[in-house]
Amino acid sequence: MRGLKVLPSGRPGRGRLYVNLPDGQAVAWYDRQANRISVLEDDHREAVLAALRPYLSGTVSIGPPPVPTAADLRRLALPPDADLAPNRPGETLLGELEHGTAGSRARHRLRQDLAAQQRMGDALDALEQDGWRTLHCVPLPGSGHIDHLLIGPAGIFCVRTVPGRRQRAVVGDLLLTVGRAEPRPDPRWIRGAAVRATVLLAAKVTPALAVVDASRLETAPTVRDIRILQPQSAAPDLAAAPVALKAPDVEALFAQARDTRTWLPQRPPLSPGRTAAPRGGASRR
């Protein structure tokens, strides 16, 4: 069949590839992680294989779609503009650098932060083959963004990334210091973010600090509740942690976390016959 289109979904290089008819109707999809093609109508089987052939590698299985799980159903019902999964590491910083009006010094700091988030994000994305799922730039109203949210066998980790700038970094109970710069309140911030994420996901979230490219990293012995990560050691450190979540739980939590409506407050609908109060015009009794 001519006219089939292959369209990506999710993060580039990692999400599914959908095969659509010219009118946009999906007839199959290729799951890169499972290396499996799901065909909705067997009449299109050969045409689907021909369309996907340039993207296939290794031994690929093909058949009807598996019975959807609750996480699958939630993902399928997710509007594209509410999906956080396609976010790249440092997504918000990319926007600030492209459209912001910060001075040269501030832009230099932004570029350092972006490079650190990209390097740490790439290290976390590489854990996908071991059963982990990662989201980047998760909105936390009133507090900015969680740099990375990591969900996998060892649990859920709320990660804040700090550029080490090839200097000595010291993590204390309340502050983090890099070189001779002013101490930063990153430990306090990430604890608060993890508490809010725990409430919103209804599951325990562990705070984590990722320090990238520090010449030396020191952590105060009293810092026991925050996981300290580095790009080069994240995989073995997390692999050695005790298993806390099974694969179906990981997928269910990932489906919940990738939905922006989990993080952004939803305004309740107005009752019939009522209108919203004008801003600044109502007073509390």
Side-chain angles (χ1 to χ4, degrees):
M1 176 181 293
R2 301 182 63 182
L4 290 182
K5 296 181 179 180
V6 178
L7 299 174
S9 173
R11 195 173 305 141
R14 296 182 181 274
R16 289 178 173 179
L17 292 176
Y18 281 86
V19 182
N20 295 352
L21 295 173
D23 63 2
Q25 178 185 349
V27 293
W29 64 82
Y30 171 45
D31 188 328
R32 288 186 175 100
Q33 184 181 356
N35 214 17
R36 186 180 193 279
I37 300 173
S38 296
V39 182
L40 295 173
E41 297 183 29
D42 202 54
D43 293 345
H44 300 306
R45 184 185 184 104
E46 294 304 320
V48 165
L49 282 172
L52 286 173
R53 190 163 289 118
Y55 307 95
L56 304 179
S57 62
T59 303
V60 180
S61 60
I62 183 169
V67 177
T69 64
D72 291 330
L73 293 174
R74 179 165 185 160
R75 184 186 66 252
L76 292 170
L78 184 62
D81 60 352
D83 191 0
L84 295 172
N87 280 4
R88 299 163 294 177
E91 187 83 38
T92 55
L93 297 179
L94 286 166
E96 289 184 48
L97 284 168
E98 185 175 351
H99 304 292
T101 58
S104 58
R105 186 171 182 179
R107 290 180 68 82
H108 176 67
R109 291 289 186 184
L110 284 174
R111 283 191 288 269
Q112 287 183 323
D113 288 341
L114 175 60
Q117 288 192 32
Q118 289 176 331
R119 184 174 175 199
M120 195 66 214
D122 289 344
L124 297 179
D125 284 340
L127 296 172
E128 187 171 334
Q129 61 186 355
D130 298 320
W132 291 84
R133 301 290 179 265
T134 309
L135 293 169
H136 306 289
C137 296
V138 176
L140 203 60
S143 302
H145 289 77
I146 299 171
D147 293 339
H148 319 283
L149 189 77
L150 184 64
I151 306 172
I156 310 173
F157 297 87
C158 175
V159 185
R160 187 171 180 86
T161 300
V162 179
R165 300 194 290 274
R166 303 190 183 280
Q167 299 181 64
R168 173 174 170 260
V170 180
V171 181
D173 279 315
L174 302 177
L175 299 172
L176 183 150
T177 305
V178 177
R180 297 183 179 181
E182 287 291 321
R184 307 162 43 128
D186 298 281
R188 285 183 292 176
W189 189 94
I190 199 60
R191 283 192 185 99
V195 168
R196 293 188 64 187
T198 294
V199 172
L200 294 171
L201 294 174
K204 182 183 177 182
V205 178
T206 299
L209 286 173
V211 184
V212 179
D213 286 336
S215 61
R216 189 166 81 242
L217 177 60
E218 299 175 10
T219 304
T222 51
V223 180
R224 298 172 183 171
D225 59 327
I226 298 177
R227 170 80 66 160
I228 307 300
L229 300 173
Q230 293 182 283
Q232 66 273 20
S233 59
D237 287 351
L238 292 168
V243 174
L245 295 174
K246 296 181 180 179
D249 299 322
V250 171
E251 295 301 331
L253 286 164
F254 179 64
Q256 179 184 359
R258 69 190 291 178
D259 189 340
T260 57
R261 296 168 295 187
T262 298
W263 306 95
L264 301 176
Q266 303 295 310
R267 294 183 179 180
L270 293 173
S271 301
R274 298 190 61 181
T275 58
R279 294 184 180 180
S283 60
R284 292 188 177 183
R285 293 182 181 271

